[in-house]
Amino acid sequence: MSPPPNLGPKPHLGYTENRLARAAELRTDRAAIDAMAGGPFAGFYVIGGELVVTKKTAPLNDPLFTLAEARAFGPFTETIFLGHDNNKGRFGLGMSQDAAEALKARDDLMVTDLRSIAVQGLVDANHLPPIAEAKAVLQWHLRHRFCSNCGAPSEAIDAGWKRSCSSCKTEHFPRTDPVVIMLIVDCDNCLLGRSPRFAPTMWSCLAGFIEPGESFEDAVHRETREEAGIVCGRVKYYRSQPWPFPTSLMIGCHAEALSRDIVVDRTELEDARWFSKHECIAMLMRNHPEGLTMPPPVAIAHHIVRSWVEDEVRFD
């Protein structure tokens, strides 16, 4: 067996390792939340739909604003208590996407989407988890302004972590959609697919939403069979990643292939094919002879493939 390749230091997985203490016990304590928001070290992340507002600073942009700075941008929709960093309150402030777009005219600000911020490393990586937290919860509020039980308007309470219907008294909580994302392996080959949404050169792991009453192992088997016609056996959990586009949790896995003949579901995938480990190494290092690429290190798919390439998981 040849030694695993040297791909250099492992990159950080984006949106993970949140350093904030979420302090859920404070969410119902309005006085404590107000005191923390008004404290001298409070910081506010400003989100407008898909856009994040940051201050242009060197060498990295600063996504934290004081309350006075944030209020100067205009009216906000919801305020979310994200937690605290050594008792320094951290909050997410939601505004309309149009209002955020208007801020692009300012020379002292950069307003762009979170995916670009993460891929291009525009802010310190420690800011990505709380920004993802803020974006996910704020977008949940945008999509759940009315009670799903009776249809009446609902209101945000508990520091943004609950919506309450005054008509039927139903309480609504933020939801996370679980998604399996898996690398199917057969000895020194793996199965990768292409979505029509991908950049022309990019291939990645298969993925799909977990259905009600389904384990993540069963979801891996079902999605792989549906999308590529491949039957899987053993499934090994790798790690997870919050994915705030809009509110998913990616459950990374490796799975053992029990068949080889691919039948692509063209409604889900543009294409799927087997890749050798040698090809995957070239794609990770961005020197594939055909210019083929993997997702960037901010995405869990990159890490799932790399862990297999580096022999961290085997089924033989």
Side-chain angles (χ1 to χ4, degrees), residues 225-275:
R225 187 176 62 254
E226 289 177 356
E227 293 189 354
I230 298 297
V231 178
C232 294
R234 291 172 289 177
V235 177
K236 294 184 177 181
Y237 169 75
Y238 171 61
R239 64 181 299 187
S240 64
Q241 178 188 32
W243 192 248
F245 305 102
T247 52
S248 296
L249 177 67
M250 309 302 289
I251 301 171
C253 302
H254 298 88
E256 172 189 37
L258 298 181
S259 65
R260 289 276 304 185
D261 294 337
I262 298 172
V263 180
V264 178
D265 179 357
R266 300 292 177 181
T267 64
E268 294 288 337
L269 296 177
E270 181 179 282
D271 201 1
R273 54 168 276 203
W274 293 100
F275 285 82

Side-chain angles (χ1 to χ4, degrees), residues 8 14 52 81 86 103 109 115 126 129 194 230-231 245 278 286:
V52 181
F81 172 60
N86 292 321
L103 294 175
L109 301 176
R115 197 185 304 261
N126 291 325
R194 271 193 50 76
I230 298 297
V231 178
F245 305 102
H278 177 76
R286 297 192 172 260

Side-chain angles (χ1 to χ4, degrees), residues 114-182:
L114 177 55
R115 197 185 304 261
S116 297
I117 288 173
V119 171
Q120 298 174 32
L122 300 180
V123 303
D124 187 286
N126 291 325
H127 287 298
L128 293 181
I131 295 175
E133 179 186 350
K135 180 179 181 296
V137 179
L138 287 166
Q139 289 205 341
W140 173 77
H141 281 290
L142 287 174
R143 299 191 308 273
H144 292 81
R145 298 204 170 278
F146 295 89
C147 176
S148 59
N149 186 55
C150 73
S154 60
E155 63 174 342
I157 61 173
D158 291 2
W161 287 92
K162 185 191 296 185
R163 293 191 73 89
S164 177
C165 176
S166 59
S167 179
C168 70
K169 309 305 179 185
T170 300
E171 296 178 335
H172 305 276
F173 298 87
R175 294 287 186 257
T176 295
D177 300 316
V179 177
V180 286
I181 178 166
M182 52 278 183

Side-chain angles (χ1 to χ4, degrees), residues 10-22 45 82 84-85 124-133 238-243 249 297-298 303:
K10 289 186 184 297
H12 178 75
L13 177 57
Y15 317 117
T16 62
E17 300 177 22
N18 194 341
R19 295 187 178 184
L20 296 188
R22 293 203 174 205
Y45 296 100
L82 304 175
H84 65 81
D85 180 4
D124 187 286
N126 291 325
H127 287 298
L128 293 181
I131 295 175
E133 179 186 350
Y238 171 61
R239 64 181 299 187
S240 64
Q241 178 188 32
W243 192 248
L249 177 67
V298 71
H303 298 253

